[in-house]
Every structure is written in C-alpha cells, then in structure tokens.
C-alpha cells in the first residue's frame, strides 16, 4: 500500500501520544484569494439548525491558496500547512481524519478537482473521504447549514454567483478572475477607481474626490506615483483593499465613486439573475422563493452606502421571492458541514449494502 506523504509540516505527529489522536474528526477548508481557513470538527451528533451548537476543535488560518493567483506549488504548501496547523491545535493527526472537504477558489473545471484530489490523496491515509469544491459551494453551505440548494453571491476580492437545485443541478456566473471581468468584486471596484484617478489626471475623465482620498490612503503625493504603486505589486487583494475609500467618497457625494458602486451593484445582481434563470430557482413563473446567501466584505452591511442591500433591491424587482441570508458561521464551517453530510450519506449507503 502506498505510504502517504510525510515531511517537516507533519513532524508534530511523531511526538503525539496515541491516546490523544484517537477521536474521529473532519476538516473543512475555505481557500480564497486573500486567506485560507481550516476548521477541525469532531464527528459527533449536532443540530444543523443551530449554528451556535456546532462543535469546533480548532481553527487555523493561512494565506492565499488560489493556484491561479500564487501558482500551484505555493497553493499546495498553504493548504497543507493550514491543515497540519488545525490538526496539531486539535490534538489530532491524519489517522483521526475521516473526511476532508476542500473548497477553494480557482476550482473551475473537473480537471481542477481531479488534480487537487490526487494531491490530497498523497497526503492522507486511504480511508479518508475527500471532496473538492469551488469555494462558493462552502459559502452557500455556511448559510444553508450544509444543504446545497439556492444561490450564493460572493463579493470579496473576487466575485462569483453559484447555485444548486434540490435535484443536484448547478450553475455559476462570473468568478473568472479580474482579467475576464469580475467587475462587481472588490478588485473590480478598486481597479475602476484607480482608472478614474488616472483619467482625471490626464484630462480624459471627470475630476473626482477619489484622487485625493486614494493618494492620501497610500501615502503618495501625485497621480503619477499611482502607476508605480499599482504595478510594483498588482496582487488582487492589495488592489481590492481600496474599496472602503471608494465607498467613503460615494457617501460624501462624489459622482464618479457613486457610479462605480452603482455599476458594481448591477453587475453583481446580473450574476445572481443569470444563475436563478438557468436553474429556474424561482419556478417557471419567476415568483417562487429561493435562499440567497451573501458572503464577502463588499456585501457587509456596515455603511450607509450598502452595496449588499442595493443588490437585493435590484434582484427583487425581477425575482421578488429572493430570501437573503447572511451566514452566522464562516465558509470554512460550511465546508466542514459538507464533509459531514457527504461522509454520513456515503456511510449510510455502504451500511445499507452490507
């Protein structure tokens, strides 16, 4: 039998007493462009209807694990390290793991899933059940407590809308990264703001408060310096961090900033509408109800210019049955719930055959 992978990351297992590693656990991972979170949970009965009752043994955080952003080698190292950290904190090791659900951005095709699945298989013993999903699936599960039905809208550094029907059909919109136009995302909003500053400086665009506000935020003295700042490190998360500046300018009455946010609302709403229409989540007449899980910093309801609220308002004009959900648990917990559900279903199926 093939021996699973070892290395310095897993050295903690050599010093662990056998008694401490006996409890069965599951791992749920949410891997995004900004950070990666791993949750370790015990396999014990709990109420899916009460988020506060969910037992958590450990939580670990690391950096970006999107292979399209940092490359496959760095993404693998991040994922392996965060899983090792969670297991170490929980007093568990890989022999204790019964299921892993890895939900990571950049999983856009079955070939992506299979490549990551093969890599995970090298890390874990053969008895471990492995599941690989796009990170949007974990985000949906965090709002529906593990049930794959409805639609999720993520708007953080990147953006994506992803939906499931109760009979397993799925569809997505956007999520193709900044080059292919996730314009409702934090990166998209900020990139448009930076472009507006350069256009205003050149005389090709309207004067805007964004110029002074962004230069002040970045500690720059002129718009000419903005070009160097942008290309010195054009990482998606670094650019997306300017969203609060854009929102503040819009709240202060700046027309350019306001238009950028209005356009982002329409873009995000159109993504959800496309998924709802393709899956007929509201029925043939469009009047049925469906849950819309809303995740990501761009959608947080903590400003007077509330992007999330405006997105719901835009969607409800066409689909009045939309039911917005702001999750009480993070997407990594959603991934752990998926691991739990997948594991229990397979276990029941195997028991029924025996």
């Amino acid at each position: 039998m093939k021996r699973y992978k070892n290395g310095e990351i897993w050295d903690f297992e050599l010093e662990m007493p056998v008694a401490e590693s006996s409890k069965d656990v599951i791992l749920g991972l949410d891997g995004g462009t900004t950070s990666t979170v791993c949750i370790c949970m015990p396999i014990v009965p709990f109420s899916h209807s009460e988020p506060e009752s969910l037992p958590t043994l450990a939580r670990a955080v690391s950096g970006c694990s999107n292979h399209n952003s940092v490359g496959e080698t760095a993404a693998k190292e991040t994922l392996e390290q965060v899983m090792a950290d969670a297991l170490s904190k929980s007093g568990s090791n890989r022999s204790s793991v019964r299921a892993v659900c890895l939900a990571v951005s950049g999983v856009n095709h079955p070939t992506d899933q299979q490549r990551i699945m093969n890599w995970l298989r090298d890390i874990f013993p053969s008895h471990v059940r492995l599941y690989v999903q796009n990170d949007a699936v974990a985000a949906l599960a965090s709002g529906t407590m593990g049930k794959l039905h409805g639609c999720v809208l993520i708007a953080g550094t990147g953006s994506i809308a992803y939906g499931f029907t109760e009979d397993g059909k799925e569809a997505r919109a956007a999520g193709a990264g900044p080059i292919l136009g996730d314009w409702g995302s934090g990166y998209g909003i900020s990139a448009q703001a930076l472009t507006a500053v350069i256009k205003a400086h050149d005389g090709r665009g309207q004067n805007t408060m964004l110029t002074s506000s962004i230069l002040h935020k970045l500690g720059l003295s002129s718009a000419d310096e903005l070009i160097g700042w942008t290309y010195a490190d054009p990482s998606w998360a670094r650019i997306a961090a300017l969203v609060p500046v854009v929102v503040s300018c819009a709240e202060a009455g700046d027309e350019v900033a306001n238009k950028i946010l209005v356009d982002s609302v329409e873009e995000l709403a159109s993504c959800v509408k496309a998924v709802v229409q393709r899956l007929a989540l509201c029925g043939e007449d469009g009047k049925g109800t469906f849950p819309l899980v809303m995740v990501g910093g761009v959608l947080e309801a903590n400003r007077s210019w509330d992007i999330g609220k405006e997105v719901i308002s835009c969607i409800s004009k066409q689909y009045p049955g939309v039911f917005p959900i702001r999750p009480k648990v993070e997407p990594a917990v959603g991934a752990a719930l998926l691991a739990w559900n997948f594991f229990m279903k397979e276990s029941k199926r195997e028991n029924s055959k025996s």
Side-chain angles (χ1 to χ4, degrees):
M1 183 176 70
K2 183 179 178 181
R3 175 70 178 170
Y4 54 89
K5 178 182 177 183
N6 287 302
E8 289 185 9
I9 288 176
W10 302 104
D11 281 351
F12 72 91
E13 294 179 327
L14 302 176
E15 304 171 4
M16 185 175 293
V18 176
E20 288 188 14
S21 62
S22 59
K23 55 182 177 289
D24 291 343
V25 300
I26 54 178
L27 295 178
L29 288 91
D30 171 46
T33 306
T34 304
S35 64
T36 302
V37 179
C38 181
I39 293 291
C40 181
M41 292 173 57
I43 296 186
V44 296
F46 57 86
S47 172
H48 281 58
S49 62
E50 299 176 8
E52 297 80 5
S53 73
L54 296 174
T56 299
L57 295 174
R59 180 180 186 271
V61 183
S62 191
C64 174
S65 57
N66 184 324
H67 64 91
N68 291 326
S69 179
V70 298
E72 190 165 319
T73 299
K76 286 180 179 180
E77 290 176 355
T78 295
L79 291 167
E80 189 171 1
Q81 185 65 63
V82 80
M83 289 188 290
D85 288 347
L87 286 172
S88 177
K89 288 180 179 180
S90 70
S92 306
N93 63 24
R94 287 174 288 176
S95 296
S96 308
V97 179
R98 291 295 170 264
V100 178
C101 180
L102 171 54
V104 62
S105 61
V107 174
N108 302 311
H109 190 271
T111 56
D112 297 326
Q113 287 180 304
Q114 191 58 52
R115 186 171 65 252
I116 296 174
M117 188 79 77
N118 293 340
W119 167 70
L120 284 175
R121 183 51 67 203
D122 286 339
I123 293 177
F124 288 95
S126 58
H127 71 267
V128 180
R129 310 282 178 82
L130 303 173
Y131 313 98
V132 177
Q133 303 282 352
N134 186 277
D135 63 331
V137 181
L140 174 61
S142 72
T144 60
M145 297 305 290
K147 183 179 180 182
L148 291 182
H149 170 61
C151 185
V152 62
L153 175 63
I154 300 178
T157 300
S159 62
I160 188 173
Y162 212 117
F164 280 86
T165 61
E166 291 185 334
D167 60 357
K169 295 177 183 176
E170 57 187 276
R172 59 178 283 174
I179 294 176
L180 298 178
D182 286 351
W183 295 122
S185 68
Y187 179 95
I189 291 170
S190 299
Q192 290 178 80
L194 292 172
T195 301
V197 170
I198 295 300
K199 282 187 172 183
H201 177 67
D202 291 345
R204 294 180 292 129
Q206 183 177 344
N207 286 332
T208 170
M209 188 187 301
L210 288 167
T211 299
S212 59
S213 297
I214 289 177
L215 292 180
H216 179 266
K217 173 70 176 178
L218 301 179
L220 304 177
S221 57
S222 72
D224 288 326
E225 294 179 59
L226 196 58
I227 300 172
W229 177 89
T230 300
Y231 292 106
D233 177 14
S235 66
W236 304 345
R238 177 172 175 259
I239 301 297
L242 294 173
V243 168
V245 179
V246 183
V247 174
S248 294
C249 289
E251 289 176 339
D254 185 79
E255 291 182 4
V256 175
N258 189 74
K259 185 178 186 306
I260 291 172
L261 296 187
V262 169
D263 289 346
S264 75
V265 166
E266 293 178 355
E267 179 69 21
L268 293 172
S270 71
C271 293
V272 174
K273 291 176 183 178
V275 170
V276 173
Q277 183 175 10
R278 286 163 62 190
L279 296 178
L281 289 177
C282 280
E284 296 301 327
D285 61 1
K287 296 181 180 179
T289 62
F290 72 96
L292 175 61
V293 179
M294 304 182 69
V295 176
V298 171
L299 301 174
E300 290 179 359
N302 56 2
R303 308 293 292 264
S304 59
W305 214 120
D306 189 333
I307 296 174
K309 182 179 178 181
E310 294 301 321
V311 169
I312 291 298
S313 177
C314 187
I315 294 170
S316 62
K317 292 175 182 177
Q318 185 172 344
Y319 297 112
V322 59
F323 177 66
I325 298 174
R326 295 189 183 270
K328 295 182 180 179
V329 297
E330 62 183 327
V333 175
L337 288 171
L338 287 173
W340 166 273
N341 287 342
F342 291 149
F343 175 76
M344 295 306 292
K345 285 180 181 178
E346 288 193 14
S347 297
K348 288 179 180 178
R349 188 161 51 242
E350 290 178 0
N351 291 336
S352 66
K353 292 179 181 179
S354 58

